[in-house]
Amino acid sequence: MDQTFELVRERGFAGLRIRLIAERVGVTEGALYRHFPSKDAILLALVDRIEGKLLEPIRKIASRPDPSPRDKLEQILRHHLRTLIETRSLPLLLISEASFSDHDELRERTRQLMSSYLGTLETLAGELEDRGMLTPKEVALLLLGLPAAVALSHRLLPDEKLAARLVGTVAHEYIRLLLPG
């Protein structure tokens, strides 16, 4: 799956070929098909991999009895930013590519992933004592906005100094500005 992630990062979904994956892994196409019956199955496995890397830790953070909802949201934001930096923004690329895919199951699976992520953020935002004039849904979308902007910037205009600050100072200030209470 790591090699498939790299190929998608380099070529996008449209450029992903079973032959290329097999070459990267050092197996035959037939051997690859014994593990994945189709290219679509590989793409669905990629979405599952994103869920494991991104959502599973977020669910754990959200389910802790403490800290406060605000601190949980900051921890989630930091985790999301760290994941984007470590994977060179691959989750955003995969979600973007899947949203334009003709593959209904892939689009639906990606929709479920995003819905689950936003739902977690929205639930925590609903527990905040002070979120100003923002609804929980608006807070969730704004919290998704920084990682999306970072992913785009990281892919198109890499800046290692900024990347190092994102998970710490920038994430903290973003939460402080968005949720001053």
Side-chain angles (χ1 to χ4, degrees):
M1 291 315 302
D2 290 338
Q3 294 302 319
T4 304
F5 266 117
E6 286 300 312
L7 283 168
V8 171
R9 191 178 51 73
E10 293 167 12
R11 299 170 175 261
F13 279 151
L16 186 64
R17 303 282 183 269
I18 297 297
R19 177 185 51 77
L20 294 173
I21 298 170
E23 286 174 7
R24 285 271 177 109
V25 177
V27 299
T28 65
E29 288 181 55
L32 197 57
Y33 277 118
R34 280 193 287 276
H35 296 282
F36 298 96
S38 66
K39 180 180 171 182
D40 292 342
I42 292 171
L43 297 177
L44 289 169
L46 286 175
V47 173
D48 289 342
R49 186 80 175 260
I50 290 173
E51 183 171 14
K53 280 184 171 293
L54 189 61
L55 284 187
E56 288 307 318
I58 286 170
R59 288 177 182 135
K60 286 179 184 171
I61 292 167
S63 67
R64 291 180 191 150
D66 59 324
S68 69
R70 185 180 186 278
D71 289 342
K72 288 179 189 181
L73 289 169
E74 184 173 338
Q75 289 175 15
I76 288 170
L77 180 62
R78 287 173 189 253
H79 168 71
H80 193 163
L81 293 170
R82 222 178 358 263
T83 300
L84 289 170
I85 291 165
E86 289 169 3
T87 63
R88 292 182 276 184
S89 302
L90 197 54
L92 178 73
L93 176 64
L94 291 174
I95 290 167
S96 175
E97 291 266 358
S99 70
F100 290 102
S101 171
D102 291 335
H103 186 280
D104 292 337
E105 188 177 359
L106 179 62
R107 263 195 340 271
E108 181 55 33
R109 193 64 192 90
T110 304
R111 187 177 294 116
Q112 290 170 0
L113 184 142
M114 289 302 300
S115 179
S116 177
Y117 181 49
L118 285 169
T120 299
L121 295 176
E122 194 172 334
T123 297
L124 287 171
E127 296 172 9
L128 292 168
E129 289 183 24
D130 181 17
R131 60 179 180 276
M133 301 288 293
L134 299 172
T135 68
K137 186 173 198 157
E138 291 164 344
V139 170
L141 288 171
L142 287 169
L143 287 170
L144 183 62
L146 179 61
V150 166
L152 290 171
S153 173
H154 196 245
R155 285 204 53 89
L156 298 173
L157 308 164
D159 180 341
E160 294 308 314
K161 287 181 183 175
L162 175 59
R165 288 177 37 86
L166 286 170
V167 176
T169 307
V170 174
H172 180 75
E173 284 300 303
Y174 188 74
I175 291 291
R176 189 183 67 75
L177 292 168
L178 179 64
L179 306 169

